[in-house]
Amino acid sequence: MIYEVDIFNSKGERLLPNSTDLKLISVSKTSTDPFLKVVGRLTKKAAAVPPSLEEITKEVEKVRAIRYASKSKMAIKGFKLCTDIDIIS
């Protein structure tokens, strides 16, 4: 189990050594990053059966279609909101 600790106050830094001295916690550095382990596994799987150019193209087009569809909906909603505002001169 890996925990990330964010220390917001410099006084908190003094609590960690004190807690280790009292044998309440153990602080150690890990030799490997869990994220890099996942990336390594995905890379090995992709190396065994690399995706074809057609598969990559289909995936890119699918993502772009979703992204552009959501942007155009936001633009249309924004346009409708702007037309409902009365401008006082």
Side-chain angles (χ1 to χ4, degrees):
M1 214 181 285
I2 296 175
Y3 294 96
E4 180 178 325
V5 178
D6 295 323
I7 300 173
F8 298 116
N9 191 325
S10 61
K11 294 177 185 177
E13 288 182 43
R14 287 184 261 161
L15 292 175
L16 290 177
N18 292 341
S19 298
T20 56
D21 292 342
L22 294 172
K23 300 199 187 296
L24 297 173
I25 64 169
S26 171
V27 178
S28 61
K29 293 183 180 180
T30 59
S31 61
T32 58
D33 185 6
F35 176 74
L36 293 178
K37 283 184 180 180
V38 172
V39 171
R41 275 191 285 147
L42 293 174
T43 304
K44 286 179 186 176
K45 286 182 183 180
V49 183
S52 67
L53 182 59
E54 291 85 20
E55 292 172 331
I56 295 171
T57 304
K58 286 180 185 178
E59 188 66 26
V60 169
E61 288 174 353
K62 192 185 320 179
V63 170
R64 284 181 180 168
I66 293 169
R67 182 178 297 160
Y68 293 139
S70 66
K71 284 185 180 180
S72 65
K73 286 180 186 176
M74 288 187 333
I76 291 170
K77 287 180 183 176
F79 179 73
K80 287 181 181 176
L81 289 174
C82 291
T83 58
D84 293 341
I85 298 173
D86 292 330
I87 299 176
I88 301 172
S89 13

